[in-house]
């Protein structure tokens, strides 16, 4: 997949439960980090410094295949699947080497400062369209 973004994360003890296995909710945190780094790597650096719009998770579906363990070096991927006027969908997977550990689909909605749906900013829409064109 040409629009695949990859981000590596080391698993620390704070990410795990008493058995040394990553707590299930932390998979979502890892995916959030990868999405943030995807935006940063794509040159969308003003997002964190503006207040006109925000992205919120509208829908998320996760499938856990294998446990992530303490000290694993995991790769979290993100690739654009689709885009609408006020939202877009990313496919995100978590790997240890070649082994897929978890898979998820995340729909992100754009909202205004007043918490109402908002059309995607042109810069974001252009980035997403470029990613879809390379898929």
């Amino acid at each position: 997949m040409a629009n695949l973004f990859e981000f590596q994360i080391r698993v620390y003890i704070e990410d795990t439960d008493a058995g040394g296995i990553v707590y299930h909710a932390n998979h979502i945190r890892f995916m959030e980090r990868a999405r943030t780094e995807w935006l940063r790597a794509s040159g969308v650096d003003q997002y964190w410094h503006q207040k006109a719009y925000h992205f919120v998770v509208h829908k998320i579906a996760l499938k856990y295949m294998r446990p992530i363990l303490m000290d694993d070096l995991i790769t979290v991927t993100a690739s654009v699947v689709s885009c609408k006027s006020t939202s877009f969908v990313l496919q995100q997977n978590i790997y240890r080497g070649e082994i897929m550990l978890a898979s998820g689909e995340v729909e992100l909605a754009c909202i205004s400062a007043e918490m109402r749906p908002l059309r995607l900013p042109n810069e974001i829409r252009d980035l997403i369209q470029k990613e879809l064109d390379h898929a």
Side-chain angles (χ1 to χ4, degrees):
M1 193 174 278
N3 72 348
L4 184 68
F5 176 79
E6 297 181 346
F7 182 67
Q8 289 193 318
I9 298 171
R10 176 70 65 188
V11 174
Y12 296 104
I13 195 164
E14 66 202 33
D15 302 315
T16 66
D17 61 17
I21 297 171
V22 168
Y23 179 65
H24 71 278
N26 286 339
H27 294 65
I28 295 171
R29 291 178 56 229
F30 296 154
M31 290 177 173
E32 176 72 30
R33 288 183 204 167
R35 289 193 304 272
T36 299
E37 293 302 325
W38 167 67
L39 284 174
R40 189 185 320 278
S42 299
V44 183
D45 52 5
Q46 89 293 350
Y47 172 69
W48 298 273
H49 305 291
Q50 59 81 39
K51 297 189 185 333
Y53 66 92
H54 306 283
F55 291 111
V56 295
V57 173
H58 177 64
K59 191 183 320 179
I60 189 166
L62 292 177
K63 182 176 181 181
Y64 303 95
M65 288 108 158
R66 296 190 180 188
I68 302 173
L69 306 172
M70 168 64 194
D71 205 40
D72 278 351
L73 181 62
I74 58 173
T75 301
V76 185
T77 65
S79 60
V80 179
V81 174
S82 64
C83 183
K84 297 179 185 174
S85 62
T86 61
S87 66
F88 62 99
V89 176
L90 293 172
Q91 174 66 42
Q92 293 198 260
N93 300 321
I94 301 175
Y95 296 90
R96 179 178 46 245
E98 300 292 319
I99 301 168
M100 185 183 292
L101 307 172
S103 178
E105 190 171 275
V106 183
E107 183 174 354
L108 297 161
C110 187
I111 60 171
S112 68
E114 294 78 29
M115 304 295 172
R116 294 192 180 103
L118 184 68
R119 292 184 71 81
L120 293 172
N122 289 336
E123 179 182 27
I124 303 295
R125 177 173 294 291
D126 292 346
L127 166 66
I128 291 168
Q129 191 57 54
K130 180 178 148 187
E131 297 288 326
L132 285 170
D133 290 344
H134 288 90

